[in-house]
Amino acid sequence: MRSTHRRLAVTAAALVLLPLALAGCGLGGGGEEPAARPDRAPAEEAATRSRERVQAYLDAMTAKDVAAGRSQLCALLHDGFDLSATGPNGDFADHFQVPEAAITDIRSGPRGQEVSVSVSVTAGKRTVTRPLVFTVTRDGGDWCIAGEAPGGAPAAGATPTGVVPSPAS
């Protein structure tokens, strides 16, 4: 009888302790899901920081503020930017006006966040809208634009011989 009593006590103790042990391992229900949140936070931060950098660059391009545009780029691009930004086909050329520029999409890419934009450029009496893709990456503890490239097919209604701002990179 003593062994039966002992078995019952061990079984009861195991049944009481098992849910506590499983909860400590994260296997029990009812708790928050802390493992799911950390994976989302970096992706959300990357999208937010990428949007901020590209929007600041677009605002600088619209305002013809070369220094503000340069400050959004990664240090590796500064020399090329300095040589071409205000040149005849540069993003900050005096004869280009940018009446409208908008971010259309943000995605993760092989080299960082790819931020798609639609930029309307006016030169003289002609206005064209062109898609561009900016690559934004983390450089040390800060985010910066690491590249700019044409993005896909021209927007509807744009002429193939229209004026296109050249990449800053």
Side-chain angles (χ1 to χ4, degrees), residues 16-156:
V16 169
L17 295 176
L18 183 62
L20 296 174
L22 290 176
C25 295
L27 296 176
E32 294 180 29
E33 298 179 20
R37 295 301 298 162
D39 290 343
R40 280 186 44 186
E44 289 173 4
E45 178 187 6
T48 299
R49 299 294 180 230
S50 297
R51 176 181 293 280
E52 289 170 355
R53 285 297 182 172
V54 171
Q55 187 61 55
Y57 186 84
L58 295 174
D59 293 345
M61 193 168 41
T62 300
K64 300 290 185 201
D65 187 344
V66 177
R70 184 181 196 269
S71 70
Q72 304 310 313
L73 302 176
C74 295
L76 186 61
L77 299 179
H78 287 180
D79 290 340
F81 177 81
D82 293 342
L83 292 172
S84 67
T86 58
N89 291 320
D91 287 351
F92 293 81
D94 287 333
H95 61 279
F96 290 145
Q97 298 301 316
V98 181
E100 187 177 352
I103 295 172
T104 59
D105 189 30
I106 301 174
R107 296 179 186 200
S108 292
R111 293 181 25 216
Q113 295 293 308
E114 294 178 352
V115 182
S116 299
V117 301
S118 175
V119 179
S120 294
V121 178
T122 301
K125 294 182 180 181
R126 179 185 281 176
T127 300
V128 295
T129 301
R130 293 287 187 231
L132 295 173
V133 176
F134 290 91
T135 301
V136 180
T137 188
R138 196 169 194 156
D139 186 15
D142 203 8
W143 293 86
C144 59
I145 296 173
E148 175 187 345

